[in-house]
Structures are given as structure tokens and as C-alpha cells.
Amino acid sequence: MLHIQTLDEGLTIFKALGSDIRLEIIKLLLTSPDMNMNELATKLNITNGALTGHIKKLEDAGLISISNEFSGHGNQKKCSVCLDKILIDLYPQVENPNIFQTEIKIGQYSNYEVYPTCGLASSSKLIGEVDDARYFAHPERYDADILWFTKGYVEYIIPNFIPTLQKIDQISISAELASEAPGVNDIWPSDIYFYLNDVCLGSWTSPGDFGGIKGIFTPDWWEPNWNQYGLLKLLVVNDKGTFIDGLQISDITIQDFNFDYKSTIKFKLAVPDTAQYIGGLTIFGKNFGNYNQNINVRMSYSPIKS
């Protein structure tokens, strides 16, 4: 997901989509992933030279990615759509000074229960051995920039350093997520559940465990048939309910927790045994995937009324 917070910020994307041919390119890639340039040009009935200009605009806007494919016919460039949603704020956001921002490294979980296939890695190496859940307790797990498991959960304590005598009005959490299949499988649904202090906020179904194209920030030593990138998801809990990418997933509100400056806040991501699709979970942090971020948290707050 791409979150455009102002119209000016989205100008490059709007221009890239302001063409019937470029819209048709996006549609073709959504229905037939990983088409190469020759196939696209043939489908669109345009020359390769004309196609190159359109592809460059879409790539510069971050809408598609290009990879090289080597075959008996030489080097072919393959194209793929690299966004699942674009969220646009039409109204400018009012700057709120009462916001505390923090991030959580992928390996800084406070509790876990995971089942193979599973594993962790830093930007430079695997931590322990894959498919052995014991290594989730390894001292080096704090350095992890990616983790994955088939079912179970990981839980994080969100740092709470809002000023004294303040209450929390909204919590926003963003993270790059995907399913976990043996190897990779772009069609591998998984129901991922989210919890605050053991209260279930709702779930999101990840469509797959994405591979085939290297993640933008995934290190070169990483095996090509392992998890490459995920989808950036934005979870928001406020006074209206709980939302993912702007769509409401439950009626749980921030008032249900009475969080203030003294509260311990625990955030859990889980694939439980009761899920319809038990397709695992991969969490991408910095140095992996397409977004180069850890689990980012924003909390807005206001004075406690006496």
C-alpha cells in the first residue's frame, strides 16, 4: 500500500496514471503477472520504443518494477505491479504536535510461539537454522530484520513515552507483511490477526508469499526462492473503530483500552489454529522487502480531563 497524504505528494503518480496506454499496462500486468516487454508491446500493438517511455514513467512513480530474465532468446525485461492499494488523503492533514512516534525492530519481540516453517535473519546472515523454533530465543534475534513462521504469534511491547497526564487517542501501526509458504507462492492466502493487550482487533488476509522478483531492499545473499517482499499495511485504532488501509475491520475503539501515559501496550501478530487460511506470516523490516522500514508506530494523545 502507498499512502499519499497530500495531492502535491501524489503528483508523479497521478501523471503516470494519466494515460490510457499506461492504465492498460497496469491492467495487463494485474491479470498476467510478470509479462516481459516484448509481450506487452505485442498486446498493446505499439513499438518497443514507445513502450519503453511508458514503462519508465510507471517505474519512476513506483507503480511497477523491472527485472531481468535470462532465456534462450537473450535477456528479457519482465514487468510487475508492486503496489496493491493507493490510499489518498484529499483533505490536508492538520499538523498535530501531540504525536509520539517510535519504531520496533523485527527481532525485538517480547513473547512468541511459532511453528515451522520458520526462521529469522539479519541483514547479513541467517540467525541459527531455519525451521527450528528454538532459535527465536537466540541472543542475536534482536538483530533480526525479517522473521517468518507457519502458525503461532509474535508479540511486541510498544514503547510508551507520551508525556505524563496524557491519554492516547489513536494508535497507528504500519508494517510490511506477507504469508509464509514453503519457498514462495504468490497465491498462498493467510489470515493474519492483530491484537492489543490480548484483545483481538480483527484480521487481514494476506494474498501470498511473494517471490519471483527480488525485493528492492532484500540483500543479495538472500536465496531467490525465499520470501522477497510483502505489502505495506496500515492498522489504525481510534474512536471510530479499527481500520486497515482505511477499511474498518472491527468496532474495537481506542476507548476500549483506556491507554494513558502509564499503560503497557502489547501488540501481537498471529496466525491462529482457528484461522480459515493458515498460510503463515512474514514480517519484513529494514534491509528487506520493498519499504525499508521496521514496525512503525504513531500515537496521538491529549490531556487527561480531571
Side-chain angles (χ1 to χ4, degrees):
M1 184 201 74
L2 175 66
H3 185 194
I4 298 173
Q5 297 180 321
T6 68
L7 291 175
D8 289 339
E9 182 184 315
L11 192 57
T12 301
I13 285 180
F14 302 149
K15 287 181 177 178
L17 293 175
S19 157
D20 290 342
I21 290 179
R22 290 195 286 275
L23 286 176
E24 190 62 28
I25 291 171
I26 296 290
K27 292 176 185 176
L28 284 170
L29 291 176
L30 288 173
T31 55
S32 302
D34 299 335
M35 292 181 72
N36 63 46
M37 297 278 278
N38 289 337
E39 292 168 336
L40 277 171
T42 300
K43 281 278 189 181
L44 295 165
N45 197 27
I46 61 176
T47 66
N48 279 49
L51 176 64
T52 298
H54 290 298
I55 290 294
K56 187 175 188 315
K57 282 185 168 59
L58 291 171
E59 187 180 20
D60 289 345
L63 292 167
I64 67 171
S65 59
I66 309 296
S67 64
N68 289 321
E69 178 188 63
F70 298 94
S71 68
H73 301 287
N75 184 11
Q76 292 283 347
K77 290 186 175 180
K78 294 175 64 176
C79 308
S80 298
V81 177
C82 49
L83 290 175
D84 65 327
K85 289 186 180 68
I86 300 175
L87 179 63
I88 304 171
D89 292 334
L90 293 178
Y91 290 94
Q93 293 188 352
V94 178
E95 193 64 31
N96 183 359
N98 297 331
I99 290 181
F100 170 72
Q101 300 187 67
T102 188
E103 67 172 13
I104 307 168
K105 283 205 65 173
I106 303 306
Q108 291 180 336
Y109 44 85
S110 56
N111 200 3
Y112 71 93
E113 182 179 336
V114 300
Y115 296 87
T117 54
C118 61
L120 313 96
S122 68
S123 61
S124 59
K125 64 177 183 178
L126 288 170
I127 297 171
E129 299 179 8
V130 296
D131 299 337
D132 188 338
R134 294 178 301 166
Y135 286 99
F136 273 68
H138 195 287
E140 292 182 12
R141 55 98 164 176
Y142 291 102
D143 298 325
D145 292 314
I146 186 174
L147 65 78
W148 65 96
F149 56 86
T150 292
K151 66 177 181 178
Y153 70 87
V154 286
E155 185 173 65
Y156 300 86
I157 294 178
I158 296 176
N160 178 11
F161 299 120
I162 67 170
T164 58
L165 301 178
Q166 305 288 309
K167 62 182 178 64
I168 296 174
D169 299 319
Q170 177 172 293
I171 297 178
S172 302
I173 303 170
S174 68
E176 185 175 353
L177 309 174
S179 309
E180 160 51 25
V184 293
N185 191 333
D186 289 352
I187 303 174
W188 190 265
S190 185
D191 295 332
I192 299 169
Y193 284 74
F194 307 95
Y195 301 78
L196 281 179
N197 287 15
D198 294 321
V199 174
C200 182
L201 301 173
S203 67
W204 164 70
T205 301
S206 167
D209 179 5
F210 305 108
I213 295 176
K214 180 180 174 295
I216 294 171
F217 299 101
T218 299
D220 292 336
W221 64 267
W222 190 251
E223 294 288 341
N225 61 334
W226 288 354
N227 329 54
Q228 292 295 317
Y229 62 90
L231 303 175
L232 188 64
K233 309 309 294 181
L234 177 64
L235 176 73
V236 176
V237 186
N238 59 26
D239 61 349
K240 302 292 192 302
T242 299
F243 304 81
I244 289 184
D245 298 343
L247 299 177
Q248 188 165 5
I249 60 169
S250 79
D251 294 326
I252 301 296
T253 69
I254 198 69
Q255 285 84 1
D256 292 324
F257 299 95
N258 294 316
F259 287 142
D260 63 17
Y261 66 102
K262 296 181 291 186
S263 298
T264 298
I265 306 172
K266 296 179 294 181
F267 175 56
K268 182 189 296 183
L269 303 97
V271 180
D273 284 329
T274 54
Q276 180 180 359
Y277 298 108
I278 303 175
L281 170 62
T282 303
I283 309 176
F284 298 82
K286 283 187 176 178
N287 306 306
F288 277 88
N290 284 348
Y291 294 95
N292 202 31
Q293 69 161 65
N294 292 314
I295 299 172
N296 288 350
V297 181
R298 286 166 56 94
M299 296 189 290
S300 60
Y301 57 88
S302 61
I304 297 173
K305 294 179 181 179
S306 56

